[in-house]
Amino acid sequence: MRATKLRRIQSGLPTFFEQMSFNLLHTSSQSKARAGVLQTDHGNIETPIFMPVGTAGTVKGVHLLELQQDIGAQIILGNTYHLYLRPGTSLLEQAGGLHRFIGWNGPILTDSGGYQVFSLSDIRKIKEEGATFSSHIDGSKHLFSPENVMDIQRSIGADIVMAFDECTPYPCDYKYARESMELTHRWLERCIAHFDASTPKYGYKQLLFPIIQGSTYPDLRKKSAEYIASTNREGYAIGGLSVGEPHADMYAMTDLVTDILPIQKPRYLMGVGTPANILESISRGIDMFDCVMPTRNARNGMLFTREGIINIRNEKWRSDLSPLDAQSELALDNTTSKAYLAHLIRNKEMLGAQIASIHNLHFYLWLVKEARKNILADTFEPWKEEMLDKVQRKL
Amino acid sequence: MRATKLRRIQSGLPTFFEQMSFNLLHTSSQSKARAGVLQTDHGNIETPIFMPVGTAGTVKGVHLLELQQDIGAQIILGNTYHLYLRPGTSLLEQAGGLHRFIGWNGPILTDSGGYQVFSLSDIRKIKEEGATFSSHIDGSKHLFSPENVMDIQRSIGADIVMAFDECTPYPCDYKYARESMELTHRWLERCIAHFDASTPKYGYKQLLFPIIQGSTYPDLRKKSAEYIASTNREGYAIGGLSVGEPHADMYAMTDLVTDILPIQKPRYLMGVGTPANILESISRGIDMFDCVMPTRNARNGMLFTREGIINIRNEKWRSDLSPLDAQSELALDNTTSKAYLAHLIRNKEMLGAQIASIHNLHFYLWLVKEARKNILADTFEPWKEEMLDKVQRKL
C-alpha cells in the first residue's frame, strides 16, 4: 500500500485521498504541447493559459470588466511583495482577501515576493532564515521568510500560492547557482511544513506550487526538478529563467525539466514572455505563463498582433486610419485606428496606454486560446510554425 | 417686414427662414433656471448640460463606451488649440473630422483656442490681425486669427464652433478690459463673415456661438451682451469668468448678461465649474457648462458625490471598505470600495484615475439631469438649496 502510494506520488497520478485539481485533456502527438483544465475554487482555468499581471491589485490601466469581458482573462497574478507593502495584509484581511478587495471573482495566483526583493530593493541580504530587504517605497526594513511568505499569501487569499525561492540572476556562477538552489529547496521544505500546518482564511482551497531553480546548468535543473517533483504538490513552477539568458538556454532548461515533472500536474514558466517564447514553451510542455510585457510594452506603444509587431510611434502609423486589427473579435481593435492610437500614445494620453494594454492582453489570451484549440485538434505544431513567423515580424 | 424681422432677431424668436435648433421647454417660476433641447446633426442635447472636456481628442482616462454608457455624456468638448497642434487639421480632414477620428458619434463643441493661447503659451502677442503664439510642445510659431480659427473648426468638424476671442485674466484693469472686449467684438465680425462664407466639410450643420467678454465690469458686460445678442447666432457663450474672480462676481456677471440675452437661445458659461457653481448658474439662466475639474481633480483623488466631497487621500478612507456611492446607478460606484480607490490613487495606479474620472463625470451628468428634472417639475429652487448644502460639504 505504501509502495503503491509512493509510486503514485512519483508518477504524479492522484492518490486515492487526493482531489484532482488538474485534468490533462490531450497531449500533442508531435510535441509535448498539452491542453488541460486546472480547477480552483474560483473557477476552472483552461490551459495553456496566460495570466495578466496585476501587480498591486490592478492590471495597470485595465478595468476589471474589461479583463473579464474584453480580454477573457481566466486567472490574474498578484505580487506578494507589492501587496504586502501596500495595501498590506491587515487591510486585505479586513476586506476578506484580495479577490474581494479588488472585486475580481476569478482565480488569482500570487508570486512569493522573492523576485521583487531581488529586483526592486536596493538593500537586501539573504540568510538561512530568509531575505531581509528595504522597501523601495519608504526604505523601511522587512524580512521575508518561507513561513511569513506563506502567511502573507494566506492573508492575500490567492488560489495558487508560490513557494518562497531565491531567483538567481543571469549570468550566475555554478557554485552560487548550486548553493542558491539548495537554499531554495530547504526553504521549500519550510514553506510546505508551514503551509500544510495552516488553513485558508476565507473558506476556499489554496494550492501551493514549488519552484525549480538551477540557473542554466542542466545538472542543477535536473536535480531541482527531481526534488521539486518529489514533493507531490498541486503544480510546479520553473523560476530563474527569462532573466536575460539566451532563448536557447531557456528552451533547453524548460525541455529538460518538463521531461522530469509528472505529466498529471500543471507546469508554470514564470515571467515568460514574448508570443514566440510562449509558443515555443507550450510545445515543450508548459501550461501557464505570466509576463508584464503585454501591458508594459503597451504603455510604450508596442502592439502584438496576429500579423506581427507594431511600434505605434513609428512615423508610418501616424496617418494610417485603418483599424488596429480588423480580424480581431475585440471591439476596440475594430473601432480604434492606428492613427488615433498613435496620436494618444505620442501625447502621453492615458487612453492610449489603456487601449494598447487591452489590445495586447486580448492578443495574448487569443494566442493561448488558439494554441489550445490546435492542441486539442492535434494541429499545434504546424500552426505554431506559421504563427512563429508572424508574431516575430516587425510591421 | 424688415422691422418685424429685426424685432424677431432682437427677441431671439426664430425668423421664418431660420430652423429652430433650441427648444425651451420650461423656465422655473422662481428663478431663471431653464430646461430645453438643443438640436444638432449628431443628436439632441437636453439642457442644462455639462460637457466633459476631451482636450486632445480624448476625455483623459475614459473610454468612449464609458462616456456613452456609464457617464451618459450627451456632448463633449474639444480644444482647438490642442487639436490644431496635434494631430493637426490635415489628419483630421483625412479622417473625415474629429468625430470619426476618435469614434464619437454624439455632438462635439470646440473652443476657439484663445484661452489656451493665453494660458499655455509662454510667448504670445495680440495684434489686430490675431494672436501669434509659440507651441507649448515644440516652441514653433503660429498665428490664430478669427478667419483661420473658423477654418480650423470647420476642419475639426465641431457641431458647435466658438468665436475667436481674447479671454481677459483676473484681475484686469478697466481700460484693458474695454479694449480687449472691443477687439473681441471686431474679431467676432470677422469670425461671422468668414464662417458664413464657408461651408461645413462633412455634410452636417455647424453652429457658431459668439462669446461675451468684459471682465467683472457690469457696464462692459452689458455692452458686450447687447452686442453679442444683436448677432442673432445659434447660441451665446459667456467667457472670461471662472478665471480667479470671486464667485459673487461670476454670479453677478452671469445674472446681468442672461437678462440681456434672448430667451430662445442656449447660453453657455465657459469653464464652469464646481457643482455649486453649476447649480447657482443654472438658476441664473445658464444652459451649458464645461470644466476640467471633474477629471483633473479625479486624478488627484477628489471625488464629488451627492453627499459631499471626498478627498480619497485622507487617512480616514484608507480602510473604509464601503462602496464609493451605494446610492449611485453607476456600477463602479457600487463595486469599488473607498479603500480600494484610496489604494490605487496613493500608488499612482492608472486605474485609480480612471475610476475617479468616471465617477466624477457620472456625478456631474447626474447633477444636471436631476436639475433638469426639477426644473421641469418646477421644484428646482428648493432642490438646489438642499443640494448646495450637500455638494459643498467635506466628507
Side-chain angles (χ1 to χ4, degrees):
Chain A
M1 178 65 194
R2 188 167 173 77
T4 310
K5 188 181 155 194
L6 266 177
R7 270 200 305 278
R8 276 185 178 156
I9 287 170
Q10 281 159 355
S11 73
L13 292 174
T15 58
F16 62 92
F17 55 82
E18 187 188 5
Q19 202 197 327
M20 226 2 223
S21 62
F22 184 65
N23 290 323
L24 188 60
L25 300 180
H26 186 72
T27 300
S28 169
S29 62
Q30 298 178 314
S31 74
K32 293 191 274 181
R34 306 129 51 92
V37 178
L38 175 60
Q39 293 158 11
T40 78
D41 282 354
H42 283 97
N44 290 349
I45 300 155
E46 299 188 328
T47 63
I49 192 68
F50 178 81
M51 303 181 281
V53 178
T55 311
T58 159
V59 175
K60 290 184 193 301
V62 179
H63 288 281
L64 277 188
L65 267 183
E66 293 165 345
L67 264 181
Q68 290 158 358
Q69 296 175 1
D70 299 320
I71 292 162
Q74 295 186 37
I75 172 170
I76 61 172
L77 185 143
N79 289 126
T80 290
Y81 171 89
H82 291 283
L83 293 165
Y84 161 78
L85 291 176
R86 295 206 208 158
T89 51
S90 159
L91 183 56
L92 288 173
E93 285 180 15
Q94 278 177 60
L98 182 61
H99 294 80
R100 293 185 64 181
F101 185 63
I102 71 174
W104 167 258
N105 296 320
I108 297 177
L109 178 149
T110 40
D111 66 5
S112 66
Y115 181 77
Q116 278 74 29
V117 166
F118 306 122
S119 62
L120 286 181
S121 173
D122 282 338
I123 304 157
R124 77 262 176 185
K125 197 171 171 186
I126 299 160
K127 301 178 294 185
E128 188 64 32
E129 184 190 4
T132 52
F133 63 97
S134 61
S135 158
H136 74 291
I137 300 167
D138 60 7
S140 55
K141 294 273 185 299
H142 304 268
L143 167 74
F144 271 177
S145 71
E147 290 78 14
N148 78 358
V149 163
M150 294 301 100
D151 289 339
I152 294 166
Q153 291 181 85
R154 287 288 195 200
S155 297
I156 293 171
D159 297 272
I160 302 176
V161 162
M162 300 305 298
F164 187 59
D165 64 331
E166 184 186 0
C167 177
T168 47
Y170 179 85
C172 174
D173 69 52
Y174 184 84
K175 182 165 178 286
Y176 190 90
R178 182 171 51 75
E179 287 173 2
S180 169
M181 177 198 77
E182 286 164 356
L183 178 67
T184 286
H185 292 179
R186 289 194 300 278
W187 281 357
L188 175 58
E189 278 180 46
R190 288 164 56 192
C191 283
I192 290 174
H194 197 78
F195 184 82
D196 287 348
S198 65
T199 51
K201 293 192 167 155
Y202 312 114
Y204 52 81
K205 196 168 63 178
Q206 295 182 285
L207 315 176
L208 174 63
F209 282 23
I211 302 172
I212 296 164
Q213 289 291 347
S215 188
T216 50
Y217 301 105
D219 65 317
L220 297 183
R221 284 283 171 187
K222 180 170 180 287
K223 195 172 169 189
S224 189
E226 284 169 350
Y227 175 74
I228 265 50
S230 76
T231 61
N232 195 32
R233 299 305 305 193
E234 298 89 338
Y236 303 106
I238 308 170
L241 293 177
S242 199
V243 291
E245 76 285 0
H247 285 166
D249 285 353
M250 175 170 83
Y251 299 145
M253 295 302 110
T254 301
D255 233 349
L256 188 157
V257 303
T258 55
D259 280 341
I260 296 167
L261 290 173
I263 298 289
Q264 293 292 343
K265 298 291 177 73
R267 296 94 170 251
Y268 161 30
L269 181 56
M270 302 181 81
V272 172
T274 64
N277 291 158
I278 288 176
L279 295 177
E280 291 289 12
S281 303
I282 286 174
S283 100
R284 286 165 175 82
I286 298 296
D287 306 300
M288 300 166 72
F289 300 91
D290 81 285
C291 192
V292 294
M293 189 177 276
T295 39
R296 181 174 291 166
N297 290 20
R299 296 195 293 278
N300 292 321
M302 181 190 275
L303 300 184
F304 299 100
T305 82
R306 64 194 82 194
E307 299 299 332
I309 295 165
I310 291 177
N311 185 340
I312 205 74
R313 290 173 174 278
N314 285 352
E315 198 57 32
K316 62 192 289 195
W317 308 118
R318 201 164 187 156
S319 57
D320 185 332
L321 291 160
S322 68
L324 289 186
D325 183 352
Q327 297 172 67
S328 167
E329 313 80 33
L330 179 68
L332 273 179
D333 278 343
N334 289 274
T335 57
T336 311
S337 70
K338 299 183 183 84
Y340 182 48
L341 185 62
H343 165 70
L344 295 174
I345 294 278
R346 275 171 188 274
N347 287 286
K348 299 186 180 60
E349 288 286 353
M350 286 171 64
L351 188 61
Q354 293 173 232
I355 292 174
S357 296
I358 295 172
H359 166 88
N360 277 353
L361 287 175
H362 174 268
F363 173 73
Y364 267 63
L365 268 295
W366 173 86
L367 188 72
V368 293
K369 197 170 161 192
E370 288 296 305
R372 191 173 194 270
K373 269 192 221 165
N374 280 285
I375 294 166
L376 289 172
D378 215 26
T379 53
F380 178 73
E381 292 304 319
W383 174 82
K384 184 196 88 171
E385 290 308 316
E386 199 188 312
M387 285 307 298
L388 277 178
D389 279 346
K390 290 183 176 176
V391 297
Q392 297 181 94
R393 197 159 55 189
K394 293 225 165 97
L395 296 179
Chain B
M1 178 63 192
R2 189 167 173 75
T4 308
K5 187 180 155 195
L6 265 178
R7 270 200 303 276
R8 277 184 177 157
I9 288 170
Q10 280 158 356
S11 72
L13 291 174
T15 57
F16 63 93
F17 54 81
E18 185 188 4
Q19 202 197 328
M20 230 355 228
S21 62
F22 184 65
N23 289 325
L24 189 59
L25 301 181
H26 185 72
T27 300
S28 169
S29 61
Q30 299 177 315
S31 73
K32 292 191 275 181
R34 307 132 47 94
V37 179
L38 175 59
Q39 294 158 10
T40 78
D41 282 355
H42 283 97
N44 289 349
I45 300 155
E46 299 189 329
T47 62
I49 192 69
F50 178 81
M51 304 182 279
V53 178
T55 311
T58 159
V59 175
K60 290 185 193 301
V62 178
H63 288 281
L64 277 189
L65 267 184
E66 293 166 344
L67 264 182
Q68 290 159 357
Q69 295 175 1
D70 299 320
I71 292 162
Q74 296 187 35
I75 171 170
I76 61 173
L77 185 141
N79 289 126
T80 290
Y81 172 90
H82 291 283
L83 293 165
Y84 161 78
L85 291 176
R86 293 205 208 160
T89 50
S90 159
L91 182 56
L92 288 173
E93 284 179 15
Q94 277 177 61
L98 182 62
H99 294 80
R100 294 185 64 180
F101 184 62
I102 71 174
W104 168 259
N105 296 319
I108 296 177
L109 178 149
T110 40
D111 66 4
S112 66
Y115 181 77
Q116 278 75 26
V117 166
F118 306 121
S119 63
L120 286 181
S121 174
D122 282 339
I123 305 154
R124 75 262 177 185
K125 198 172 172 186
I126 299 160
K127 301 179 293 186
E128 188 63 32
E129 184 189 5
T132 53
F133 63 97
S134 61
S135 158
H136 74 291
I137 300 168
D138 61 8
S140 55
K141 295 271 185 300
H142 303 268
L143 167 74
F144 271 177
S145 70
E147 290 78 13
N148 78 358
V149 162
M150 293 302 100
D151 289 340
I152 294 166
Q153 292 182 87
R154 286 287 196 203
S155 297
I156 293 171
D159 297 273
I160 301 175
V161 162
M162 301 304 299
F164 187 60
D165 65 331
E166 184 186 359
C167 177
T168 47
Y170 180 84
C172 175
D173 69 51
Y174 184 86
K175 182 165 178 287
Y176 190 90
R178 181 173 51 78
E179 287 172 3
S180 170
M181 178 199 77
E182 286 163 356
L183 178 66
T184 287
H185 292 179
R186 289 193 300 278
W187 280 357
L188 174 59
E189 278 180 48
R190 289 165 54 193
C191 283
I192 290 175
H194 198 78
F195 184 82
D196 287 348
S198 64
T199 51
K201 292 193 167 155
Y202 313 113
Y204 52 82
K205 196 168 63 177
Q206 295 181 286
L207 315 176
L208 173 63
F209 281 24
I211 302 172
I212 296 163
Q213 289 290 347
S215 188
T216 49
Y217 301 105
D219 65 316
L220 296 184
R221 284 284 170 185
K222 178 169 182 287
K223 195 171 169 191
S224 189
E226 284 168 351
Y227 176 72
I228 266 45
S230 78
T231 62
N232 194 33
R233 298 307 306 193
E234 298 89 337
Y236 303 106
I238 308 169
L241 293 178
S242 200
V243 291
E245 77 285 1
H247 285 167
D249 286 353
M250 176 170 83
Y251 299 145
M253 295 303 109
T254 301
D255 232 349
L256 187 157
V257 303
T258 56
D259 280 341
I260 296 167
L261 291 173
I263 298 289
Q264 294 291 343
K265 298 290 177 73
R267 295 95 170 250
Y268 162 31
L269 182 54
M270 302 181 82
V272 172
T274 65
N277 291 159
I278 288 176
L279 295 177
E280 291 289 12
S281 302
I282 286 174
S283 99
R284 287 166 175 79
I286 298 296
D287 306 300
M288 301 166 71
F289 300 91
D290 81 286
C291 192
V292 294
M293 189 176 277
T295 40
R296 180 175 293 167
N297 290 20
R299 295 196 294 278
N300 293 320
M302 181 189 276
L303 301 184
F304 299 99
T305 81
R306 63 194 82 194
E307 298 301 330
I309 295 165
I310 291 176
N311 184 341
I312 205 75
R313 290 173 174 276
N314 286 352
E315 198 57 32
K316 63 192 289 193
W317 308 118
R318 200 162 188 158
S319 58
D320 185 332
L321 291 160
S322 68
L324 290 186
D325 183 353
Q327 297 173 66
S328 168
E329 314 80 33
L330 178 68
L332 273 178
D333 278 343
N334 289 273
T335 58
T336 311
S337 70
K338 299 182 182 85
Y340 182 48
L341 185 62
H343 165 72
L344 295 174
I345 294 277
R346 275 170 187 274
N347 287 286
K348 300 186 179 62
E349 287 286 353
M350 285 171 65
L351 188 61
Q354 291 173 232
I355 292 173
S357 296
I358 294 171
H359 166 88
N360 278 353
L361 286 176
H362 174 269
F363 173 74
Y364 267 64
L365 269 294
W366 173 87
L367 188 73
V368 293
K369 198 169 160 191
E370 287 297 303
R372 190 173 197 270
K373 269 192 221 165
N374 280 284
I375 293 167
L376 289 172
D378 215 25
T379 54
F380 178 73
E381 291 304 318
W383 174 82
K384 183 197 89 171
E385 290 308 316
E386 198 188 314
M387 284 307 297
L388 277 178
D389 279 346
K390 291 184 177 177
V391 297
Q392 298 182 93
R393 198 159 54 188
K394 293 226 164 96
L395 296 179

